[in-house]
Amino acid sequence: MAIVTSPQKSVAVNPLKQSQALGATLAFLGLKGIIPLMHGAQGCTAFAKVVLVRHFREAIPLSTTAMTEVSTILGGEENVEQAILTLAQRSKPDIIGLCTTGLTETRGDDMQGFLKDIRKRHPELDSLPIVLVSAPDFKGSLQDGFAAAVESIVRELPQPGETKSQQVTILAGSAFTPGDVQEVKEIVTAFGLTPIFVPDLSVSLDGHLEDTYSAITASGTSLTQLREVGSSVFTLALGESMRSGAQVLEERFGIPYEVFGELTGLDPTDNFLQALADLSGNQVPEKYCRQRRQLQDAMLDTHFYFGCKRVSLALEPDLLWATVYFLQSMGAQIHAAVTTTRSSVLEKLPVKNVIIGDMEDFEQFSVGSDLLIANSHGVAVAKRLNIPLYRQGIPIFDRLGNGQFTKVGYRGTMQMLFDIGNLFLEQEES
C-alpha cells in the first residue's frame, strides 16, 4: 500500500499535469461529427489546440465562446448561445461537446440553465445533441476531464433497446492511445464480438488523410452507435477512471461491467482475453496464442536488462498504475512515482510513496534512477540528471508517431519491452 503525499508549495514549478478541459476535448475528438466547444477565453482554447496539434500532428477541430473581460463580468450566456448557433449553421455538427474552463467555473455560470433557456428560444436545436462537461482547470487533470466527458456522453446519448448478445461497449480511458484502441478493437472483434468504443480515437486521431476537409471530426464513434450503447450486453471499462462511466450504464440500462486497470503485460492480457472468451463463448484465436509465445520469448530476452533497475515515473494515475505493474513484473524497482491528481488506485500501488506534484518534485525524487518515464516535459530533467528518458503520456512533441504507438496486448507489450530494454542496453554500453 502506497502513502500518497502532496507537497505543500505555493506554486507549481514546471507543472506536470494538463487541464481537465484538454482531457474533455480529447474524449470528444473520439466521436464522429462532433466539434468541441470551450466556454472560456480564446487563450484557453488556443492552448489546448496547440498541445493536441503538437502531440498528434493532426488538424484539431476546436471552437470557443471567446469570453472577454466584459462578458466575463456580465455573464456568458449570450456568448454560449451565439457560438452554438454559429456552429450549428456553418459546421452542421452531429454533436456539440460543450465544456467549461477555469474562467467560467470561477465565475459560476449556470451552464445547465443556459442550455435550457437557449433551447427554449431556438427550437431548431432540439435535434442537436449538446453534451455538457464541467471541466475546471484549477483542479483535477487531463484524466479527470476525459473521464467526466465519457460519463456525460454515456449519461446523455445512449437510448434503451433490445439487448444484442454480441455487442459490447468499451470505455477506453485517457491512458489508451489511438494505436492502443485499434489493438483492443482487433482483439475484441477476433472473438466474434461487436464493440462500440466510447470514445474511438483509433479512427479519428490515428494519423490518416481524409478525402475532403471537414470542420468537424470525420471519424469516430457515430451518434447512431452511441444511441445503441444501451443495447450492449456488457461494458468493458479500460482504466480505473472509466469505472464511473460504466456505473452510469449499469444504473441506466442494467448492463454489467468489468474494469481492467491495465492491458500491458502477460497476466493482464491473459485476463482480458479470458474475459472475452467467457463473454463470447469462443476460444482464444490461434494468432494470439502465438503472440503470447512471442511475448514470453521477449520477456526471457529482456529480463536481464530490467532486473533491479531503478525507474522513476511521472504519469497520470491510470497510466502510472499500468506502467508500474508492467515494470515490476519484469523485475524493475520503482524509485519514485509522481502523478497529477488523486485517484482510488494510488493507495493500492505496490510502492512506498506516491507524490501528487510537478516536474520539480519529479527531478528531486528521481536522483539515482536508471530510467525516467514521463512526457516530453521531462526532457530537461533527464538532461540535467543525465538519465535516459522513455516518453509516455501527453504531450509528446519531440517524437513522431504518437497516434500509432501501441503498448497494450501481447504485441504492444513486446514493443515496450524492446524500446525500454534498448535504452537499458545503450546505458550499459556507454
Side-chain angles (χ1 to χ4, degrees), residues 13-91:
V13 181
N14 193 4
L16 168 63
K17 71 176 184 178
Q18 304 294 323
S19 72
Q20 281 204 66
L22 177 62
T25 299
L26 179 59
F28 283 143
L29 292 173
L31 307 185
K32 183 178 181 180
I34 196 173
I35 184 162
L37 172 61
M38 282 192 182
H39 180 36
Q42 287 180 309
C44 300
T45 304
F47 176 77
K49 193 178 185 79
V50 167
V51 172
L52 292 171
V53 168
R54 293 184 75 191
H55 180 81
F56 291 106
R57 300 178 187 268
E58 301 294 331
I60 302 295
L62 189 55
S63 190
T64 177
T65 58
M67 296 286 286
T68 63
E69 296 91 337
V70 174
S71 58
T72 300
I73 294 171
L74 299 180
E77 182 171 1
E78 183 178 341
N79 290 61
V80 175
E81 180 175 2
Q82 189 58 52
I84 291 175
L85 292 175
T86 301
L87 292 175
Q89 292 167 5
R90 295 184 180 179
S91 302

Side-chain angles (χ1 to χ4, degrees), residues 73-389:
I73 294 171
L74 299 180
E77 182 171 1
E78 183 178 341
N79 290 61
V80 175
E81 180 175 2
Q82 189 58 52
I84 291 175
L85 292 175
T86 301
L87 292 175
Q89 292 167 5
R90 295 184 180 179
S91 302
K92 294 179 172 55
D94 297 330
I95 312 169
I96 290 179
L98 176 60
C99 63
T100 62
T101 61
L103 176 67
T104 52
E105 286 282 349
T106 301
R107 187 188 183 280
D109 282 350
D110 178 14
M111 296 302 296
Q112 292 286 0
F114 284 3
L115 288 181
K116 187 177 180 180
D117 292 341
I118 291 170
R119 286 194 181 277
K120 282 183 179 179
R121 290 193 293 268
H122 299 279
E124 68 272 20
L125 298 175
D126 288 349
S127 60
L128 176 62
I130 301 174
V131 180
L132 173 63
V133 180
S134 175
D137 48 18
F138 49 76
K139 67 177 182 178
S141 69
L142 181 148
Q143 176 178 298
D144 297 317
F146 192 101
V150 171
E151 185 175 344
S152 294
I153 291 167
V154 297
R155 191 181 297 279
E156 295 291 332
L157 300 180
Q159 296 178 345
E162 185 177 348
T163 301
K164 299 178 181 180
S165 60
Q166 296 300 303
Q167 177 180 296
V168 294
T169 301
I170 300 181
L171 307 181
S174 60
F176 290 78
T177 68
D180 291 337
V181 175
Q182 181 60 40
E183 182 70 16
V184 174
K185 185 183 297 184
E186 291 179 9
I187 293 173
V188 174
T189 53
F191 283 85
L193 297 169
T194 302
I196 297 179
F197 281 81
V198 184
D200 189 352
L201 299 177
S202 71
V203 290
S204 60
L205 291 175
D206 60 326
H208 66 278
L209 295 178
E210 296 287 350
D211 295 332
T212 59
Y213 168 77
S214 175
I216 57 179
T217 54
S219 305
T221 309
S222 67
L223 181 58
T224 300
Q225 290 176 309
L226 291 169
R227 299 291 194 202
E228 294 175 350
V229 163
S231 300
S232 294
V233 68
F234 201 80
T235 301
L236 300 169
L238 308 184
E240 181 63 31
S241 63
M242 293 294 100
R243 183 182 295 274
S244 59
Q247 289 173 339
V248 169
L249 291 176
E250 184 181 49
E251 292 168 4
R252 291 191 63 199
F253 308 107
I255 302 174
Y257 69 89
E258 185 173 355
V259 177
F260 294 88
E262 67 279 348
L263 292 183
T264 302
L266 186 64
D267 285 344
T269 306
D270 286 349
N271 295 335
F272 186 63
L273 265 63
Q274 184 60 57
L276 294 176
D278 295 340
L279 193 58
S280 65
N282 297 323
Q283 293 184 341
V284 176
E286 177 55 34
K287 71 173 182 178
Y288 294 113
C289 295
R290 179 166 182 79
Q291 286 181 15
R292 188 179 191 275
R293 291 191 288 269
Q294 290 174 326
L295 174 57
Q296 287 176 311
D297 182 72
M299 292 171 71
L300 286 172
D301 293 341
T302 58
H303 83 276
F304 300 103
Y305 305 104
F306 279 79
C308 297
K309 286 295 194 302
R310 295 162 296 180
V311 183
S312 293
L313 310 94
L315 302 169
E316 295 275 352
D318 278 3
L319 188 54
L320 179 69
W321 171 276
T323 310
V324 164
Y325 270 90
F326 165 70
L327 291 170
Q328 289 187 332
S329 72
M330 291 300 297
Q333 299 173 358
I334 306 305
H335 187 67
V338 181
T339 191
T340 58
T341 184
R342 292 200 171 272
S343 169
S344 60
V345 302
L346 297 180
E347 285 82 2
K348 302 174 186 176
L349 277 169
V351 298
K352 291 183 179 179
N353 297 285
V354 177
I355 300 97
I356 299 176
D358 52 29
M359 281 296 181
E360 183 183 62
D361 301 314
F362 182 53
E363 182 171 356
Q364 175 185 346
F365 290 105
S366 296
V367 175
S369 301
D370 297 303
L371 178 70
L372 306 181
I373 299 180
N375 59 37
S376 289
H377 293 307
V379 171
V381 175
K383 288 182 178 179
R384 284 194 292 268
L385 298 180
N386 194 28
I387 300 172
L389 173 69

